[in-house]
Amino acid sequence: MPPFHGMNHNNEIFKQMKKRNNIITYSATVIFLLAIILANKGCSPKFSLENKANFTLLRHENGPVIGYSSASGIEIMKIKRLAFKDLNRNGKLDPYEDWRKPAEERAKDLASQMTVEQIAGLMLYSGHQSLPAGGRGPFGGTYNGKPFAESGAKASDLSDQQKKFLTEDHLRHVLITSVESPAVAAEWNNNAQALVEAIPPGIPANNSSDPRHGSDTYAEYNAGAGGRISMWPGTLGIAASFDPSLMREFGKIAAEEYRALGIATALSPQIDLATEPRWSRFDGTMGEDPVLAANMARAYTDGFQTSSGKDEISGGWGYTSVNAMIKHWPGGGPEEGGRDGHFGYGAYAVYPGKNLKDHLKPFTEGALKLDGPTGMAAAVMPYYTISDRQDTLNEEQVGNAYNKYLITNLLRDTYHFDGVVCTDWGITKNVSNVYEFSGKPWGVEKLSEAERHYKAIMAGVDQFGGNNEKGPVLEAYNLGVAAFGEAAMRKRMEQSAVRLLKNIFRTGLFENPYLDPETSAKTVGNPEFMKAGFDAQLRSIVLLKNHENTLPLKKEMKIFVPQKFVPGGRNWFGVETEARWMDALKPDMASKYFTMCANPREADAAVVFIDSPKGGTGYSTDDFSKGGNGYVPITLQYGPYRADNARETSLAGGSPFENFTNRSYKGKSITATNLQDMKTVLETKAKMGTKPVIVVVRVSNPMVFSEIEKSATAIVIHMGVQDQAVLDILTGVAEPSALLPFQMPADMKTVEEQFEDVPRDMKCYTDSDGNTYDFAFGMNWKGVIMDERVRKYW
């Protein structure tokens, strides 16, 4: 245990006085010490000591828990019977070390003490870090120069790369991806916090995560049993409940699990308005209706950020709070043709309906206007895209994070946001063409990396996602000094530092960033959380068709389930996967509900599990190599599609890597890579004859149902749930209640003719029972749902 500054030494004083036999002095001293005792109401500290394996906790009677590592070498100051960390080792209590002061005051004091190099490190957000680090790929790492498997290191040890960016580059924001277990995550957190605590001024690591609560299709839910982490539908699935209180419950539970993993910032929610049905990130949104999306965004952010009771520090912030980084300003949904901004071919968001206002609503009327005491989201992430012709001040055609009008004039000045603005990952890195997964410097390709950092900082950005090195930020600082002088640029850097530090102070990390691995293991995925997640899955499943009340099925029925074909392909990182056939259901899971039949002739009904059409990315290097412009359609149907109704001339275009601006794909053709899913439905119908065929679709985007609907007696869709949840719906263990948070198009013609920026503007599919698959449509066992939710949002 470190020594306490300010500990009284009354016994020693008494001894010295007695030795001198100075009665007058001795009496005066007794009176003086009695006065001190009375003033302080006793000499004993107002906290207790608890030693853990690698850290120590000081528990105040009325105050925060102070956690520190003996390995860090910091001392504890005792002032008025309260404990404080001497994080900068100067022997006195600085305002930023005083947990009684407001976060704003503490942040300003610390920012003023930091060197430019330290502020530059604070402005970094690491690349993706798995625990332990993998040995290969873009996010790999080593341990004493060796891959993890050969190193003898523990899974909770810091990799060589992590040690470097935490010490040499002063990075304090770490993006955590996969973890071996909750206990390993907690131990890694403690190792990282001890390392940075030892480096004055002792700024803790603010670890973060992308969404990590998705459902494992094959996983089994057992009431009363725990899991690795609670499993929920994606946010689009929760939005299908049309119940913001469910989204808030998810946020609250997810925040508790995040904090138990050492995560204090969520790189979420994704609140882009999903007005372009072909966009590959559609299923990460909260749907296409601006009012529903705003309500869901507000609930999610309130759930994540709000602490209450003993967990609250001030203003709703506290020890169970997780900073929400809402994304992607000013809305990443209206991608032309559905092409995504991770690539140069998807660099442009377009507004043919002149409808930026709806895309702002999930931000300005949702996550930036909370019901809870934290007021607004802690951070905002702009998207990669160039918001085509939306800069009405400077008319710049640059990526959103480089656009001063969008960041400073609109977000900060108009909507009064003074939190952190963090770029999306890799926007300052270089790229050499429009189709590789690399840097994303759209509109500023010809600038150097340092110039890109400088432009973003001057646009109002505080932090750079995916950048582990402080060098480019320091170069940007020097560019600013040359332009405006050192005082002005120092002031601008401190402004960002204050914003970043507030998010660390408000979540209590400066007082105690340490975790008990056993407690983490018991918290993450505990039975209560697992049940809440499973119940939410049931509430996210939409019944679209139930001809002649085919559902629910009786348990023990003889059921035929055809195998599922998984097409091969290549992911964004270039990793190839082979095509394969697989069981659509785990046999042991299926047997708990049905008698499984390998021969469809012997079955009473068939259940076919498929995915919505996988319609491509909108770009083809094959087309380009054959003399085309490279741009091809994205399809929402399975079968061959020819884009005869596409635009003759694209709304936006232009790249240093292309010698043309027209990105039209009119007249070109494409077929979904999972065409076999459609064939499986049709083949199963042929085998079953007049017997029921139930189709279960895992939906990532809206889809054209005309190819399969007539072959299906019943249709159930979901946005990512466990198979067990689907089976509970199919067999009547639970009744479907969810509604479509988006439209299902009648055909690809209406998809081509709809405006990328306008919600609910497609002609919707009407099935053979006469039901139209429009926004807010859904069925239960009684028929079409017409309840208060439908009336509110329709």
Side-chain angles (χ1 to χ4, degrees):
M1 175 178 171
F4 287 93
H5 291 307
M7 290 290 281
N8 59 59
H9 303 285
N10 300 346
N11 292 338
E12 184 62 31
I13 293 173
F14 276 115
K15 290 176 184 177
Q16 294 299 320
M17 294 301 99
K18 287 179 179 179
K19 284 181 181 178
R20 295 175 186 173
N21 201 27
N22 188 329
I23 302 300
I24 297 175
T25 304
Y26 178 71
S27 300
T29 302
V30 170
I31 294 170
F32 174 71
L33 290 174
L34 285 172
I36 292 177
I37 292 170
L38 290 172
N40 288 280
K41 297 181 181 179
C43 300
S44 60
K46 297 177 75 172
F47 51 80
S48 59
L49 187 68
E50 182 179 350
N51 289 312
K52 296 289 187 178
N54 298 307
F55 60 95
T56 300
L57 299 178
L58 298 174
R59 298 185 182 275
H60 286 95
E61 292 177 14
N62 293 295
V65 174
I66 306 296
Y68 61 92
S69 169
S70 57
S72 70
I74 69 161
E75 295 187 340
I76 298 298
M77 297 176 284
K78 175 180 173 285
I79 299 172
K80 295 183 179 179
R81 302 166 64 206
L82 301 176
F84 304 86
K85 295 182 185 180
D86 186 12
L87 292 167
N88 61 5
R89 280 49 168 196
N90 68 353
K92 66 177 184 179
L93 182 63
D94 291 270
Y96 88 88
E97 296 167 331
D98 189 347
W99 44 261
R100 297 167 299 183
K101 295 186 178 296
E104 179 90 19
E105 181 181 345
R106 299 177 74 185
K108 287 180 177 178
D109 175 64
L110 177 51
S112 70
Q113 297 186 36
M114 294 172 69
T115 66
V116 172
E117 287 78 9
Q118 290 168 337
I119 295 176
L122 194 65
M123 295 174 73
L124 305 177
Y125 225 125
S126 82
H128 300 63
Q129 306 294 311
S130 60
L131 308 179
R136 298 178 181 177
F139 311 126
T142 57
Y143 297 80
N144 293 321
K146 298 179 180 179
F148 175 73
E150 303 171 14
S151 66
K154 296 179 181 177
S156 57
D157 287 347
L158 303 183
S159 71
D160 300 332
Q161 292 74 19
Q162 291 161 359
K163 291 176 182 176
K164 177 186 180 299
F165 64 58
L166 288 171
T167 57
E168 296 179 22
D169 292 289
H170 306 292
L171 184 149
R172 291 296 178 271
H173 294 80
V174 184
L175 172 55
I176 304 298
T177 56
S178 62
V179 299
E180 185 175 282
S181 69
V184 164
E187 290 165 1
W188 181 93
N189 169 80
N190 293 347
N191 291 335
Q193 300 295 4
L195 177 65
V196 298
E197 188 176 71
I199 305 170
I203 300 172
N206 181 359
N207 305 321
S208 72
S209 175
D210 279 312
R212 60 192 314 118
H213 282 83
S215 298
D216 179 354
T217 301
Y218 273 4
E220 182 175 0
Y221 169 70
N222 292 304
R228 295 278 295 233
I229 195 166
S230 62
M231 289 185 283
W232 297 71
T235 51
L236 188 60
I238 299 177
S241 73
F242 279 57
D243 182 2
S245 69
L246 181 62
M247 188 70 83
R248 189 179 300 108
E249 180 188 19
F250 162 69
K252 183 179 183 300
I253 289 174
E256 288 190 48
E257 293 186 306
Y258 272 28
R259 292 305 299 263
L261 293 169
I263 293 166
T265 293
L267 303 186
S268 58
Q270 182 189 337
I271 57 176
D272 307 291
L273 197 62
T275 53
E276 170 44 61
R278 294 163 290 189
W279 186 31
S280 63
R281 301 190 70 177
F282 188 100
D283 63 345
T285 72
M286 297 177 180
E288 67 174 303
D289 183 78
V291 177
L292 178 62
N295 290 342
M296 290 291 176
R298 185 185 312 110
Y300 184 113
T301 308
D302 269 331
F304 264 86
Q305 291 191 169
T306 305
S307 291
S308 58
K310 62 180 177 57
D311 294 317
E312 183 179 4
I313 297 172
S314 178
W317 292 100
Y319 305 110
T320 58
S321 296
V322 171
N323 299 295
M325 185 179 292
I326 55 176
K327 59 188 185 183
H328 304 87
W329 179 263
E335 308 266 7
E336 183 163 20
R339 299 183 296 271
D340 182 62
H342 278 82
F343 301 87
Y345 58 69
Y348 292 93
V350 294
Y351 300 85
K354 298 180 173 55
N355 193 34
L356 176 64
K357 66 180 186 301
D358 272 350
H359 290 265
L360 298 181
K361 286 178 180 178
F363 298 87
T364 61
E365 298 180 17
L368 297 180
K369 189 181 288 185
L370 301 180
D371 293 331
T374 63
M376 61 174 59
V380 171
M381 181 188 294
Y383 204 39
Y384 297 117
T385 45
I386 297 169
S387 294
D388 186 48
R389 287 169 281 187
Q390 297 307 300
D391 182 349
T392 59
L393 186 65
N394 305 307
E395 299 184 352
E396 275 199 298
Q397 289 283 82
V398 293
N400 296 326
Y402 295 108
N403 194 301
K404 187 173 183 178
Y405 168 74
L406 293 176
I407 303 301
T408 294
N409 299 100
L410 190 60
L411 177 61
R412 294 203 186 279
D413 294 346
T414 302
Y415 293 109
H416 311 295
F417 178 74
D418 193 36
V420 170
V421 173
C422 177
T423 74
D424 212 330
W425 264 232
I427 74 159
T428 59
K429 301 297 183 182
N430 293 321
V431 66
S432 58
N433 55 55
V434 299
Y435 54 82
E436 71 178 69
F437 186 72
S438 185
K440 303 151 186 69
W442 313 140
V444 294
E445 292 92 339
K446 294 182 180 180
L447 297 184
S448 68
E449 285 196 43
E451 290 170 333
R452 292 171 193 155
H453 281 79
Y454 174 63
K455 184 172 180 59
I457 290 170
M458 301 315 290
V461 161
D462 304 300
Q463 196 167 33
F464 296 92
N467 185 352
N468 295 355
E469 299 175 348
K470 68 179 185 294
V473 181
L474 292 175
E475 290 182 66
Y477 172 78
N478 291 330
L479 291 173
V481 170
F484 300 105
E486 187 168 1
M489 199 58 192
R490 168 80 198 195
K491 181 179 179 181
R492 173 64 191 89
M493 296 285 276
E494 282 193 30
Q495 185 182 44
S496 287
V498 169
R499 292 168 179 155
L500 291 159
L501 289 168
K502 282 168 63 177
N503 289 349
I504 307 177
F505 281 115
R506 293 188 300 199
T507 49
L509 291 173
F510 270 88
E511 278 56 70
N512 180 29
Y514 296 97
L515 299 170
D516 179 354
E518 290 186 10
T519 301
S520 293
K522 292 176 182 177
T523 300
V524 180
N526 69 52
E528 178 187 351
F529 293 172
M530 295 298 290
K531 183 180 186 305
F534 189 77
D535 289 346
Q537 292 179 47
L538 295 173
R539 295 181 60 189
S540 74
I541 298 170
V542 184
L543 176 62
L544 290 182
K545 183 179 181 181
N546 194 20
H547 184 65
E548 295 182 346
N549 297 318
T550 298
L551 298 178
L553 300 174
K554 294 179 180 179
K555 280 198 172 187
E556 308 300 328
M557 280 182 69
K558 295 179 180 179
I559 298 295
F560 170 66
V561 178
Q563 281 201 313
K564 189 175 188 303
F565 179 74
V566 180
R570 175 186 297 176
N571 68 12
W572 283 0
F573 306 111
V575 178
E576 298 276 358
T577 55
E578 293 184 358
R580 69 189 191 281
W581 287 90
M582 61 178 287
D583 288 335
L585 278 176
K586 285 179 67 176
D588 58 343
M589 172 70 72
S591 64
K592 294 180 179 180
Y593 290 82
F594 305 116
T595 299
M596 303 303 293
C597 294
N599 186 344
R601 293 193 186 93
E602 299 174 359
D604 299 316
V607 181
V608 184
F609 290 81
I610 62 174
D611 294 333
S612 57
K614 300 181 185 298
T617 64
Y619 191 87
S620 167
T621 53
D622 287 342
D623 178 83
F624 184 76
S625 66
K626 294 175 182 177
N629 64 0
Y631 293 86
V632 295
I634 296 174
T635 183
L636 300 181
Q637 66 182 44
Y638 295 104
Y641 166 63
R642 180 183 168 93
D644 292 326
N645 295 295
R647 298 182 180 108
E648 291 277 0
T649 303
S650 64
L651 295 175
S655 166
F657 310 117
E658 295 176 333
N659 59 5
F660 56 87
T661 58
N662 185 7
R663 295 180 166 189
S664 174
Y665 50 82
K666 185 178 176 66
K668 295 181 182 179
S669 299
I670 191 172
T671 301
T673 58
N674 61 332
L675 173 65
Q676 180 60 49
D677 278 352
M678 180 189 77
K679 292 181 177 179
T680 300
V681 172
L682 302 184
E683 291 165 0
T684 302
K685 173 60 179 174
K687 292 173 183 177
M688 296 299 294
T690 59
K691 291 183 287 187
V693 175
I694 296 91
V695 176
V696 178
V697 191
R698 198 301 187 190
V699 170
S700 298
N701 293 81
M703 59 180 285
V704 177
F705 268 97
S706 59
E707 296 170 304
I708 63 170
E709 179 267 319
K710 291 181 177 62
S711 297
T713 318
I715 299 173
V716 169
I717 72 163
H718 66 91
M719 279 67 78
V721 299
Q722 295 166 253
D723 288 338
Q724 185 176 355
V726 173
L727 295 174
D728 275 0
I729 292 290
L730 296 185
T731 57
V733 175
E735 184 173 12
S737 62
L739 307 170
L740 283 176
F742 52 84
Q743 295 180 314
M744 291 294 187
D747 49 42
M748 283 303 297
K749 181 176 184 293
T750 191
V751 173
E752 295 290 1
E753 292 175 348
Q754 58 89 35
F755 285 169
E756 286 91 337
D757 61 326
V758 176
R760 299 169 58 177
D761 65 338
M762 292 190 294
K763 177 184 176 183
C764 297
Y765 180 73
T766 299
D767 69 15
S768 54
D769 285 343
N771 292 318
T772 300
Y773 299 171
D774 204 343
F775 174 81
F777 173 78
M779 302 180 72
N780 57 24
W781 302 145
K782 296 177 182 178
V784 177
I785 298 171
M786 290 297 296
D787 59 15
E788 183 58 34
R789 297 171 300 160
V790 178
R791 290 187 286 272
K792 178 177 180 178
Y793 288 102
W794 180 251

